[in-house]
Amino acid sequence: GVKRVIMAGRVCLALAVLAISSGCGTGNQGTMAQRWDRPSEAFVSDLKGAVEFNRGGADWSAAVPGLPVRVGTTLRTGTDSTVDLLFGNGAGTVRLKPRSTMTLERYDVAHVDGQRYGTVEIFLSEGDVEEPRKSGGGLVIVIKTVGGSRRLR
């Protein structure tokens, strides 16, 4: 009777919320799995020498491989040191050269149908980066400096 109708109503409501959150009926093409495969951070994939990170005014700490790098995180390398920043799902890598400091300002990377798309913006306050290595797709990497910016595809 009434209990069965209430349970059925709750199930329908849960399914409706799931359909809305997955993009059904919103004109958003693609599967729910594609939208969930959207990492919100990059990672330190490799480093050599003294590499430190800072998250918004906190004390500097030693970076280690696997360290998540979120928007607002700053990385700096010492003399004879480098660090590779890996963008989610293997979309690309940027290597920060010795005596360099960079901050991740924007990170919007998605993995759809085997390709990577999105924009990564890095502010390089000192030093330099090597030309990024990318693995296809439509990933755009923007390196900003005090003197301007360069867009790398």
Side-chain angles (χ1 to χ4, degrees):
V2 173
K3 192 173 191 177
R4 178 175 282 181
V5 170
I6 291 172
M7 283 300 290
R10 287 182 183 163
V11 170
C12 288
L13 178 60
L15 290 174
V17 168
L18 182 60
I20 290 168
S21 68
S22 68
C24 294
T26 63
N28 189 355
Q29 300 301 313
T31 66
M32 187 183 305
Q34 289 168 338
R35 280 182 289 288
W36 282 107
D37 191 9
R38 183 187 183 113
S40 61
E41 52 202 23
F43 294 89
V44 169
S45 64
D46 193 23
L47 58 84
K48 179 184 129 195
V51 178
E52 296 179 307
F53 76 99
N54 180 300
R55 290 198 173 116
D59 292 335
W60 289 94
S61 301
V64 295
L67 174 78
V69 179
R70 299 173 188 94
V71 170
T73 300
T74 300
L75 291 169
R76 71 180 177 192
T77 55
T79 304
D80 298 323
S81 302
T82 61
V83 62
D84 290 351
L85 186 61
L86 174 68
F87 307 123
N89 299 326
T93 305
V94 166
R95 175 168 287 169
L96 191 60
K97 292 183 176 183
R99 294 183 313 278
S100 298
T101 303
M102 59 140 283
T103 302
L104 185 62
E105 289 191 337
R106 179 179 176 192
Y107 186 82
D108 185 17
V109 177
H111 183 238
V112 179
D113 296 330
Q115 296 293 317
R116 285 87 175 178
Y117 298 92
T119 302
V120 173
E121 292 180 0
I122 293 171
F123 178 69
L124 188 64
S125 54
E126 69 177 310
D128 202 3
V129 296
E130 288 184 12
E131 190 70 20
R133 297 180 302 274
K134 299 191 307 172
S135 60
L139 182 68
V140 175
I141 300 171
V142 179
I143 307 294
K144 299 177 177 180
T145 63
V146 175
S149 65
R150 61 184 191 232
R151 184 180 175 130
L152 310 167
R153 282 196 185 249

